[in-house]
Amino acid sequence: MIYTPHILEEMYLGLEDNGYQFRGITKRFPLATRHFKTKLKNRYYWLYGFIILVLGTGAATNSLHFDYQGGSAYVITTFSWAVGLIGSLAAIFAGYSLVTSDQASGRIRLILKLPYTRWRYAFEKFLGEAFAVIAFTSLATVTGFAVSTALYGLPPVLPAIGILVVQAGNLLVWLSLAMAVSMVVKTGRRAVAVLMVLFLSTWVWEGVANSILRGIGEQSVAVRLFAYRLEPYRAYSVTVNWMLGLPNSDLMAPLLMEHVDPNGSIIIGPGIVSELVGDIPWFLSEWVSALVLILWGTVPMLLAYRRFKTADIS
């Protein structure tokens, strides 16, 4: 049997020659659509969403300090914390095998026999996974907001929408990093090993940055704070605090909010930039951290694709 591009497309994408016509996005991105639909049936993705829901609502009802009652706004911060921690890990495990699994099984050679360029293949694989991860995360978050509404009242609408957007951005960053590694290494085991080292290194980055700055003789508090914010988790925390109207700080939003009264006055100032350096230099502005997050999500992916587009996948 001769495998024409049309037959290969039916085999891989599960299309049937029955006159059915794709409409809208499913017609333009069939590989992404198939990938997304597959994830909707995956019980582990539903389990992930349930974990986010439990962590977010649980932390909202049992704050870090049991005498603190954050109310309707506090639940927004607890979900941002849950997604920053668990969501980042979930994005890593969702993306580390996006390319390596297709290479190991030979599917990538089959797909590229279709009218697919390597760019379109990489884009649609990323798009399908991104939609799945963001959909489950957003569903869990919105459900948590609904639960908290029954307990505390409706959360502030604009900050809630802003957090949904920033959460999605954080997931895209880690998914992009995961796929970048998946395009470069040969096996899934190597990919997940590299990504876990990267993820865990964010927790020791402050010590590494201090060592580097001491080595070059840099003593500025402002420069030290900027160096800390170069890793994605702190950049995400700063951006979350910015969206919530909290003080400029890289602390987790739930902890920071517990030190700010409802009128915005700082009760205790742990790690708040204005208290540490006085006048805030431009490179410690919140928009800079948002830009750092964007760079983490784009630069490694572009560099990895540059290698992937010329790599031997035979």
Side-chain angles (χ1 to χ4, degrees), residues 64-85:
L64 298 177
H65 302 293
F66 291 101
D67 59 346
Y68 175 78
Q69 298 296 324
S72 61
Y74 187 72
V75 68
I76 305 177
T77 70
T78 61
F79 273 91
S80 70
W81 161 77
V83 173
L85 181 62

Side-chain angles (χ1 to χ4, degrees), residues 188-206:
R189 287 184 178 181
R190 292 180 184 176
V192 76
V194 171
L195 289 163
M196 289 308 300
V197 169
L198 176 62
F199 180 78
L200 294 175
S201 69
T202 63
W203 303 101
V204 299
W205 171 243
E206 180 175 338

Side-chain angles (χ1 to χ4, degrees), residues 26-308:
T26 59
K27 183 177 180 180
R28 294 190 178 190
F29 307 110
L31 180 59
T33 301
R34 180 182 184 276
H35 191 88
F36 175 71
K37 289 181 177 179
T38 300
K39 301 305 178 182
L40 289 180
K41 301 175 184 178
N42 191 317
R43 65 181 184 275
Y44 293 110
Y45 283 68
W46 288 99
L47 176 61
Y48 157 70
F50 179 73
I51 291 172
I52 291 293
L53 174 61
V54 170
L55 282 179
T57 54
T61 55
N62 296 283
S63 62
L64 298 177
H65 302 293
F66 291 101
D67 59 346
Y68 175 78
Q69 298 296 324
S72 61
Y74 187 72
V75 68
I76 305 177
T77 70
T78 61
F79 273 91
S80 70
W81 161 77
V83 173
L85 181 62
I86 304 300
S88 300
L89 277 173
I92 286 175
F93 283 102
Y96 82 92
S97 63
L98 280 176
V99 178
T100 55
S101 63
D102 283 349
Q103 288 181 325
S105 66
R107 286 194 301 267
I108 190 170
R109 294 189 293 275
L110 177 63
I111 298 171
L112 293 179
K113 289 181 181 178
L114 307 175
Y116 269 81
T117 62
R118 295 194 187 193
W119 168 254
R120 185 180 174 189
Y121 162 79
F123 174 72
E124 287 204 37
K125 290 285 285 187
F126 180 81
L127 183 65
E129 190 63 55
F131 268 117
V133 174
I134 291 174
F136 280 97
T137 305
S138 299
L139 176 62
T141 302
V142 171
T143 302
F145 290 172
V147 172
S148 70
T149 297
L151 300 175
Y152 305 115
L154 183 68
V157 176
L158 289 180
I161 295 173
I163 287 304
L164 288 173
V165 173
V166 176
Q167 286 180 177
N170 179 67
L171 294 171
L172 290 176
V173 167
W174 285 101
L175 183 62
S176 174
L177 288 170
M179 185 164 180
V181 174
S182 186
M183 286 192 291
V184 171
V185 304
K186 295 296 184 182
T187 67
R189 287 184 178 181
R190 292 180 184 176
V192 76
V194 171
L195 289 163
M196 289 308 300
V197 169
L198 176 62
F199 180 78
L200 294 175
S201 69
T202 63
W203 303 101
V204 299
W205 171 243
E206 180 175 338
V208 174
N210 282 333
S211 298
I212 294 173
L213 292 174
R214 282 196 300 267
I216 63 176
E218 179 59 62
Q219 302 295 327
S220 170
V221 174
V223 172
R224 188 167 69 247
L225 292 175
F226 172 70
Y228 298 163
R229 295 179 176 201
L230 291 178
E231 57 94 352
Y233 186 79
R234 288 189 188 241
Y236 168 70
S237 296
V238 173
T239 307
V240 165
N241 294 335
W242 185 28
M243 290 294 102
L244 295 175
L246 295 171
N248 188 331
S249 175
D250 58 23
L251 288 178
M252 295 182 299
L255 180 61
L256 182 61
M257 190 174 184
E258 293 183 12
H259 296 280
V260 179
D261 70 17
N263 296 320
S265 301
I266 299 169
I267 301 172
I268 304 173
I272 295 175
V273 174
S274 59
E275 295 195 352
L276 296 173
V277 300
D279 293 335
I280 301 176
W282 69 268
F283 54 83
L284 288 180
S285 299
E286 292 96 332
W287 66 264
V288 174
S289 291
L291 178 60
V292 169
L293 205 59
I294 293 172
L295 292 176
W296 272 108
T298 54
V299 174
M301 174 73 92
L302 293 175
L303 293 175
Y305 177 75
R306 184 178 180 181
R307 178 175 176 178
F308 174 71

